[in-house]
Amino acid sequence: MRFRLGQLQSMQLPADLRALPAAQFRALAALALMLIIAQIDQPFPEIAWLHHVPTVLLLVAAPMLLRRWPLSDGAVVALVLFFALHTLGGRYTYSSVPYDDWVRSLIGSAPSDWFGWTRNHYDRLVHFAFGLLFYAPIREIGLRWLGQSRIMAAIVSIGFALSVGALYEIFEGLLTLVVAPEMANGYNGQQGDMWDAQKDMGLAFVGSLLAAGCVRWSGRRG
């Protein structure tokens, strides 16, 4: 069915979407488009949906939540960037993200060649990004909506990265008891590392500390 330009212009977006600032609307729309593209020729359809459920929930709930509790464009973009990284990881179930192939095709060598890596480290990047990119939104929520002091907002934001990181690792552990072993192994992506959970939580902690340091430094400069 073909639509005329006038018909397209007369179509009304839901009120929650229309209330969003333009930058936030574009960021969420880009994430939604990325999520759709990630399903094209999906290489791991039996596992990928487990990764994509949180992103779908974010896209559904974000317009309503942001209308009720607005955040700055920077905070929303930080959240979208994290979920974009997560969406890419979900397409390849993290352990199979072919970043080595991508880099090698561009410059002839790859990170695993440089550092002697024997595992796929994309999951490490995303756990670090979780602490780094969630710091600003959680801090802003504390300052704007919970009345926290700057110090308390920083402590809570760092604690959020630690606590949610730990809960996620517990969830992964429980998942192994519920689903088929091959699905759990593909989702968890431990790749034979018995300290995988601790390293993931540590990287989220480091990411949040780095974000806190950047905020502190930028505040002093301002």
Side-chain angles (χ1 to χ4, degrees):
M1 181 181 296
R2 296 182 179 178
F3 291 93
R4 295 180 180 177
L5 180 60
Q7 290 176 303
L8 288 173
Q9 292 174 335
S10 65
M11 293 176 64
Q12 292 294 316
L13 293 170
D16 291 334
L17 287 173
R18 284 187 279 115
L20 289 177
Q24 298 182 21
F25 176 83
R26 287 194 294 265
L28 290 171
L31 179 61
L33 179 61
M34 182 177 180
L35 183 63
I36 293 171
I37 293 174
Q39 310 315 311
I40 298 175
D41 295 327
Q42 169 57 246
F44 303 98
E46 68 282 358
I47 302 172
W49 66 271
L50 288 170
H51 291 286
H52 294 313
V53 165
T55 308
V56 173
L57 293 177
L58 171 77
L59 290 170
V60 171
M64 177 185 65
L65 295 176
L66 290 171
R67 186 182 185 187
R68 176 64 180 84
W69 297 287
L71 293 175
S72 67
D73 290 348
V76 173
V77 169
L79 291 173
V80 167
L81 284 175
F82 170 78
F83 278 94
L85 291 171
H86 176 67
T87 298
L88 179 60
R91 172 175 171 79
Y92 296 100
T93 68
Y94 281 88
S95 301
S96 302
V97 175
Y99 59 81
D100 275 332
D101 294 339
W102 296 337
V103 176
R104 190 175 289 113
S105 67
L106 292 174
I107 61 176
S109 60
S112 293
D113 302 329
W114 310 334
F115 302 109
W117 292 340
T118 58
R119 77 185 300 278
N120 190 301
H121 283 284
Y122 187 80
D123 63 326
R124 303 279 195 242
L125 169 65
V126 176
H127 281 282
F128 173 78
F130 172 72
L132 183 71
L133 295 174
F134 264 78
Y135 179 87
I138 299 303
R139 177 178 180 272
E140 188 171 319
I141 290 171
L143 292 173
R144 180 181 293 193
W145 300 112
L146 300 180
Q148 296 173 346
S149 66
R150 293 180 181 272
I151 294 177
M152 180 57 66
I155 292 172
V156 169
S157 301
I158 295 171
F160 178 87
L162 282 170
S163 58
V164 174
L167 287 173
Y168 183 78
E169 297 301 331
I170 292 172
F171 167 76
E172 284 190 337
L174 293 175
L175 188 68
T176 64
L177 304 177
V178 178
V179 302
E182 62 274 9
M183 182 180 290
N185 184 64
Y187 179 84
N188 292 350
Q190 289 180 294
Q191 303 179 65
D193 186 355
M194 65 178 294
W195 301 107
D196 180 71
Q198 289 83 354
K199 291 176 181 177
D200 290 346
M201 289 185 289
L203 283 169
F205 180 51
V206 171
S208 66
L209 289 178
L210 178 60
C214 289
V215 169
R216 179 77 172 177
W217 178 74
S218 64
R220 286 182 174 178
R221 291 195 66 188

